[in-house]
Amino acid sequence: MQTIPTAGVKSPSSLRWRSLTWLGLARGLVALLALAILAATLVSLFNYQDFALHNLDNKAINTPNDAWTPEQTQAALKELGWPATTVAWWGFARDLVGLLLVYPVLILLLWRGAGGWFGIYVAFTFTLMGTVGGTFLQPLMAEFPALKSLDHLLGTLSWQLYFLIFFFFPNGQPAPRWVRWLAGAWIAWMVIQSPLLAEGIQLLGPAVENRLSGISSGLAIGFVLSALASQFYRYFRVSNTLERQQTKLVVLVLLFMLAIVAAIPFAFRPAN
């Protein structure tokens, strides 16, 4: 019996080993990113009081929303008899709760390697979601201003990456199958718009970039609605009982995170 030459043909076991190696490397990189965020959180925790107190004019941390100025906020806090850094610590606590909510899921995904590449993508997205408020990075951005552009970029993309999951959650397969092309278009648009999202960097001039920013916002809304529609279709037409329970859990987490983000703007309103 003649043996068929196999030179240059990779065995299934070799391909599987390479895939596992790349998956392990990707999990390690996400874990390092998560640890870096935790380290930034600890640095901020020990230095945050002094930072907030010496930066009372910092609108990002010392005002509850865009309707307030730092001066109005300080006047209101003084009238209430509250410390000058109350709003700053409220924001820190809000973001810390979000971090504590996200990281147990992140640890589970990385430890068990759930879902292969899709599980790693979910873990990476959840890692970015832990920095959505930007509070933990504020002291570092004061020392390294270049981080502001990176923070603005990641903060904007993290929500888009999160809703992109809805095309594939919970098993990593698109439903209906044609939405994979829509997801691909969304990813392509995120790559195209990424330079425009880096705060402080203008490549095409203010007028052009403002127009592109408006287009980007409209497309993002359309993509988010289509992702949610995909998840509704999957829930009622495709998912089994276990997958429906997983979907309910994710929706509850999302609603809780939205409630945390909205807590300060609705809690503080300037007098008319």
Side-chain angles (χ1 to χ4, degrees):
M1 182 175 180
Q2 186 177 5
T3 302
I4 300 176
T6 59
V9 178
K10 297 176 181 177
S11 66
S13 60
S14 175
L15 293 175
R16 191 178 304 110
W17 172 253
R18 286 195 173 188
S19 177
L20 290 174
T21 301
W22 282 110
L23 286 173
L25 177 61
R27 279 199 296 271
L29 291 175
V30 174
L32 286 176
L33 176 60
L35 289 174
I37 292 173
L38 285 176
T41 303
L42 290 175
V43 170
S44 295
L45 182 62
F46 290 108
N47 297 279
Y48 200 67
Q49 177 65 21
D50 289 339
F51 172 77
L53 194 58
H54 288 87
N55 292 273
L56 293 178
D57 59 342
N58 187 327
K59 190 176 178 64
I61 64 170
N62 276 311
T63 58
N65 53 48
D66 291 337
W68 290 76
T69 64
E71 292 77 15
Q72 289 174 325
T73 304
Q74 291 307 310
L77 292 174
K78 185 176 181 180
E79 183 176 347
L80 291 170
W82 294 357
T85 56
T86 297
V87 172
W89 276 109
W90 181 282
F92 190 96
R94 175 203 62 189
D95 292 347
L96 184 60
V97 170
L99 198 70
L100 295 176
L101 182 68
V102 165
Y103 268 55
V105 180
L106 172 64
I107 293 172
L108 181 64
L109 287 170
L110 293 177
W111 182 262
R112 302 185 64 178
W117 283 107
F118 180 65
I120 292 174
Y121 170 74
V122 174
F124 173 71
T125 302
F126 274 33
T127 303
L128 293 184
M129 291 292 290
T131 66
V132 164
T135 304
F136 306 138
L137 299 179
Q138 287 294 327
L140 291 177
M141 287 190 292
E143 294 292 331
F144 306 98
L147 288 176
K148 291 182 179 180
S149 295
L150 179 62
D151 174 67
H152 185 75
L153 172 64
L154 295 181
T156 304
L157 289 181
S158 60
W159 283 103
Q160 297 189 47
L161 291 172
Y162 179 82
F163 281 105
L164 190 61
I165 293 174
F166 282 31
F167 283 125
F168 305 97
F169 186 84
N171 60 8
Q173 299 299 320
R177 292 185 61 84
W178 60 265
V179 300
R180 67 183 184 273
W181 300 108
L182 194 57
W186 193 350
I187 294 172
W189 177 246
M190 282 194 290
V191 172
I192 292 172
Q193 68 166 338
S194 291
L196 308 179
L197 296 175
E199 194 174 56
I201 299 178
Q202 291 187 339
L203 302 177
L204 304 175
V208 175
E209 293 198 4
N210 287 337
R211 180 170 297 182
L212 288 176
S213 178
I215 295 173
S216 177
S217 298
L219 286 176
I221 293 173
F223 282 135
V224 167
L225 292 177
S226 63
L228 294 175
S230 171
Q231 195 59 217
F232 274 107
Y233 174 86
R234 181 192 297 271
Y235 185 87
F236 291 105
R237 301 290 298 273
V238 179
S239 296
N240 55 37
T241 302
L242 176 60
E243 290 174 342
R244 287 179 180 176
Q245 292 298 324
Q246 293 172 327
T247 300
K248 290 178 182 178
L249 177 62
V250 169
V251 170
L252 287 175
V253 171
L254 174 61
L255 291 176
F256 187 67
M257 292 188 68
L258 289 176
I260 292 173
V261 171
I264 290 182
F266 283 101
F268 294 86
R269 295 183 180 180
N272 295 325

